[in-house]
Amino acid sequence: MGKYDKLFARIKNMAKDVDNVILELVPEKEPKRLYEASRHYPLAGGKRVRPFVVLRAAEAVGGNLKNALYPAASVEFIHNYSLVHDDIMDMDELRRGKPTVHKLWGVNMAILAGDLLFSKAFEAIAKAELPARKKARILDVLVRTSNLLCEGQALDIEFETKDEVGVEEYLRMISGKTGALFQGSAEIGAIVGTDNEEYVGALSKWGMNVGIAFQIWDDVLDIIANEEKLGKPVGSDIRKGKKTLIVSHFFEHASEEDKAEFLKVFGKYAGDAKGDALIHDESVKEEVAKAIELLRKYGSIEYASDYAKNLVKDANEALKVLPESDARKDLELLAEFLVEREF
């Protein structure tokens, strides 16, 4: 991954400036428990990829990085608010290797912390040194993005009660759940930096494609990755019954007999607290391995992998209307990395 080293260094560098804005807007203050809970995820780390997209998108269209800092913080607030609420809905106990907000402060305070982070996203835009017309347009993007996030999450919840989810249904869900915030980040950066509508449209397309590709590749890694690099058991999504593009493709092409065989394993340990321990049992590993072979039989893993890579190819093609620059190159590299990573 040597070709990405400089990119990673720049992401890390720019994250410091974004973090300063985040901690300025969410300081240590009363009510102490509310602000502690709200600062928990920002202080727990995270790569700040979405803020980086805002900053580099602004620069790629000729804008000033300084003017994009508060907008960059706003998308990180939206991202973190969604994580707090997602963890409550999923009853997850760990996030970034640390206890989740609701685990430490209780569900009620976690809901309030998520709400505060959502509110801070709009405060960040109010503080940005930008013309009123640009602020208004950025607010429109944030509202649209938040709506799509909620719609995507709602569809994901509905999918839990369905045995089969089609490819188009899955793509609609993931466009909201992960595509929208990448799209919003790139579009906001463009709005900060330019009035050129062609540039804004190109970055909007780039963001949506990259956001969808990011999630699809994540789902591919769950099946093909090295377990140590992945940091979780291979095939976890199969055990938990997670609906992915891979699974959607399989259900659209598999025989009824193979579907029935797959469903014996798919979702077998959903909601089972013992599920993570059971995956190390040899019989469970064999079950998952058989399910993965069924996915391979119908080319479903390859289909999803190719789909993600083609999305990135189209995304970077869209950027060719922008002037050549280091910032544009960073966006192209980031997109490539997201479908080449091994973790």
Side-chain angles (χ1 to χ4, degrees):
M1 289 289 176
K3 73 173 181 174
Y4 299 115
D5 289 347
K6 289 182 180 178
L7 172 68
F8 298 153
R10 278 191 287 275
I11 293 174
K12 192 174 181 181
N13 248 357
M14 291 183 179
K16 295 173 187 174
D17 292 330
V18 175
D19 285 350
N20 288 338
V21 174
I22 290 171
L23 297 180
E24 172 202 327
L25 294 176
V26 190
E28 295 181 272
K29 59 174 285 189
E30 296 294 334
K32 186 177 179 182
R33 292 182 73 241
L34 172 63
Y35 279 85
E36 282 180 344
S38 300
R39 288 162 63 93
H40 183 57
Y41 284 168
L43 290 174
K47 295 180 178 64
R48 307 290 188 259
V49 171
R50 293 159 190 83
F52 179 77
V53 168
V54 176
L55 298 175
R56 283 315 238 174
E59 291 184 303
V61 297
N64 188 311
L65 183 143
K66 185 181 175 184
N67 292 341
L69 281 173
Y70 280 95
S74 76
V75 301
E76 188 66 11
F77 282 132
I78 294 287
H79 178 52
N80 279 275
Y81 123 79
S82 71
L83 296 182
V84 173
H85 285 190
D86 283 358
D87 287 343
I88 294 168
M89 286 182 270
D90 296 340
M91 299 181 70
D92 285 336
E93 297 190 355
L94 289 175
R95 165 74 63 181
R96 296 168 183 162
K98 297 185 179 181
T100 49
V101 174
H102 69 271
K103 184 72 177 171
L104 292 174
W105 286 277
V107 170
N108 290 345
M109 191 59 73
I111 291 171
L112 286 173
D115 291 346
L116 182 66
L117 290 168
F118 183 75
S119 172
K120 290 295 178 179
F122 297 93
E123 183 181 346
I125 300 306
K127 285 183 172 288
E129 293 182 12
L130 292 167
R133 62 182 176 80
K134 283 188 180 281
K135 288 185 182 183
R137 189 163 179 193
I138 290 169
L139 288 173
D140 279 344
V141 174
L142 278 181
V143 169
R144 183 199 71 210
T145 298
S146 300
N147 290 344
L148 289 171
L149 273 172
C150 292
E151 290 169 11
Q153 181 66 13
L155 287 171
D156 201 23
I157 291 169
E158 287 180 10
F159 288 176
E160 291 173 8
T161 61
K162 299 177 71 171
D163 283 341
E164 297 183 21
V165 170
V167 167
E168 291 304 315
E169 287 180 285
Y170 170 84
L171 290 172
R172 183 184 168 204
M173 181 275 289
I174 214 64
S175 294
K177 190 166 180 180
T178 64
L181 194 50
F182 272 92
Q183 179 187 39
S185 299
E187 200 171 328
I188 287 169
I191 292 167
V192 168
T194 187
D195 292 317
N196 185 315
E197 291 303 322
E198 187 180 20
Y199 290 176
V200 175
L203 278 157
S204 178
K205 178 179 179 179
W206 180 90
M208 178 57 79
N209 278 19
V210 167
I212 297 170
F214 169 74
Q215 184 58 58
I216 293 173
W217 189 251
D218 226 35
D219 298 337
V220 170
L221 285 178
D222 181 74
I223 292 173
I224 69 168
N226 175 288
E227 205 163 283
E228 288 183 16
K229 288 184 179 179
L230 189 62
K232 64 177 182 176
V234 169
S236 292
D237 291 348
I238 294 172
R239 293 181 303 113
K240 294 175 182 176
K242 182 180 174 184
K243 307 302 192 298
T244 65
L245 185 64
I246 300 165
V247 172
S248 294
H249 180 272
F250 170 79
F251 280 132
E252 286 191 356
H253 294 85
S255 67
E256 292 304 316
E257 183 182 351
D258 283 342
K259 283 183 192 178
E261 195 65 28
F262 184 76
L263 285 169
K264 289 179 184 177
V265 183
F266 188 62
K268 185 174 181 179
Y269 302 106
D272 188 341
K274 298 177 182 177
D276 288 334
L278 285 170
I279 190 60
H280 299 293
D281 185 281
E282 285 305 315
S283 63
V284 176
K285 285 186 176 182
E286 285 177 18
E287 285 179 343
V288 171
K290 286 178 182 176
I292 290 173
E293 280 310 305
L294 285 170
L295 296 175
R296 291 190 192 281
K297 177 179 176 179
Y298 290 93
S300 299
I301 301 168
E302 186 179 3
Y303 168 80
S305 174
D306 289 345
Y307 198 100
K309 289 178 178 179
N310 284 331
L311 280 173
V312 162
K313 185 179 176 183
D314 289 347
N316 285 346
E317 187 67 29
L319 292 189
K320 288 185 178 178
V321 301
L322 275 57
E324 286 190 19
S325 67
D326 288 342
R328 189 186 106 180
K329 184 62 180 173
D330 271 356
L331 293 174
E332 292 166 347
L333 276 174
L334 175 62
E336 289 170 11
F337 170 72
L338 292 177
V339 293
E340 289 182 10
R341 62 198 165 95
E342 298 177 358
F343 53 89

